[in-house]
Amino acid sequence: EVQLVQSGAEVKKPGESLRISCKGSGYSFTNYWISWVRQMPGKGLEWMGRIDPSDSYTSYNPSFQGHVTISTDKSISTAYLQWSSLKASDTAVYYCAKHYPTMIFGVFIQGVLDYWGQGTLVTVSS
Amino acid sequence: EIVLTQSPGTLALSPGERATLSCRASQSVSGRYLVWYQQKPGQTPRLLIYGASSRATGIPDRFSGSGSGTDFTLTISRLEPEDFAVYYCQQYGSSPWTFGQGTKVEIK
């Protein structure tokens, strides 16, 4: 059974750093990209960026570029999302999600998210 | 980036009725690379439809997707009690991948 298990809720102060995690199991971790998605309180979903665990190549939404860093440790099948300096506006639930590549005319197309972690609530408040 | 606008914002229907949800893109979505997700309160999003019209594994056939270019539709042929939720569309035709703001399907 495919599972993505995320780390627990965090309460931080503005300016603090944070790293949250997402551990994959039940599938070959290095064969599928992982994306991170933000959901602010009462709001919709926002794609933040993705990583290819096989080579750690990342791609970010320009809206999040420079403010977060996505990484993986494939030896423990875990992806990370980290901030060096949190803001109050970072308060949200953060989901990791596994990609489901679809083959179109012999080419794998990425962007479909088939399994999601349970979400990590990050609260940033002074 | 491609902006996705979903309508209506809220759809109030009764069980057994047909639901039609719209997702309009600010520019053409290449390859019909459009996904629909369902999210219930306090739960994670669930993949329903990808490639505009392909049902994900285990998704009942009362869910169907259609459309191309800038206009896409999710149809639920007969609403079951468990279908009352928020539905999001997402495009993956160009980066950054973007989501619509969601349509809430609520019980009338």
Side-chain angles (χ1 to χ4, degrees):
Chain A
E1 179 194 6
V2 174
Q3 283 192 309
L4 294 172
V5 179
Q6 298 185 225
S7 50
E10 301 274 0
V11 179
K12 292 289 189 179
K13 290 181 167 46
E16 291 187 331
S17 63
L18 174 64
R19 188 177 77 168
I20 61 175
S21 66
C22 166
K23 183 174 176 59
S25 63
Y27 72 101
S28 178
F29 185 75
T30 54
N31 284 358
Y32 299 91
W33 296 2
I34 292 281
S35 273
W36 286 92
V37 176
R38 182 174 79 174
Q39 188 165 38
M40 299 178 77
K43 301 297 184 183
L45 305 168
E46 300 171 273
W47 178 73
M48 302 175 71
R50 62 87 178 167
I51 189 164
D52 179 346
S54 69
D55 60 9
S56 293
Y57 182 83
T58 54
S59 178
Y60 294 91
N61 182 331
S63 296
F64 295 91
Q65 179 96 42
H67 186 53
V68 296
T69 301
I70 297 171
S71 60
T72 60
D73 182 341
K74 58 186 179 183
S75 70
I76 54 172
S77 300
T78 299
Y80 302 97
L81 177 67
Q82 67 182 65
W83 297 259
S84 59
S85 181
L86 286 160
K87 304 174 185 178
S89 57
D90 292 318
T91 295
V93 174
Y94 294 87
Y95 294 102
C96 63
K98 170 188 161 292
H99 280 241
Y100 173 65
T102 56
M103 182 169 277
I104 307 294
F105 302 118
V107 177
F108 278 113
I109 303 299
Q110 299 283 356
V112 179
L113 307 175
D114 63 346
Y115 287 90
W116 295 61
Q118 83 278 18
T120 296
L121 174 61
V122 174
T123 303
V124 184
S125 175
S126 54
Chain B
E1 73 177 47
I2 295 178
V3 176
L4 299 178
T5 302
Q6 293 186 241
S7 61
T10 302
L11 194 53
L13 295 168
S14 301
E17 288 193 294
R18 180 184 189 90
T20 303
L21 287 65
S22 172
C23 176
R24 179 161 290 179
S26 61
Q27 56 189 280
S28 183
V29 176
S30 65
R32 301 178 76 229
Y33 296 146
L34 195 286
V35 188
W36 290 94
Y37 301 94
Q38 176 194 66
Q39 187 178 32
K40 297 179 182 178
Q43 295 189 19
T44 66
R46 174 193 183 196
L47 174 64
L48 298 176
I49 302 283
Y50 63 93
S53 59
S54 298
R55 269 188 302 277
T57 303
I59 301 304
D61 60 7
R62 65 179 181 272
F63 290 92
S64 64
S66 63
S68 63
T70 60
D71 289 298
F72 297 86
T73 301
L74 174 70
T75 302
I76 310 171
S77 59
R78 286 178 56 86
L79 282 164
E80 297 287 340
E82 62 268 27
D83 298 336
F84 292 92
V86 178
Y87 292 84
Y88 294 96
C89 59
Q90 175 226 324
Q91 66 80 24
Y92 55 107
S94 67
S95 188
W97 301 320
T98 50
F99 291 87
Q101 82 281 13
T103 289
K104 181 179 182 181
V105 179
E106 64 180 27
I107 299 176
K108 188 174 182 179

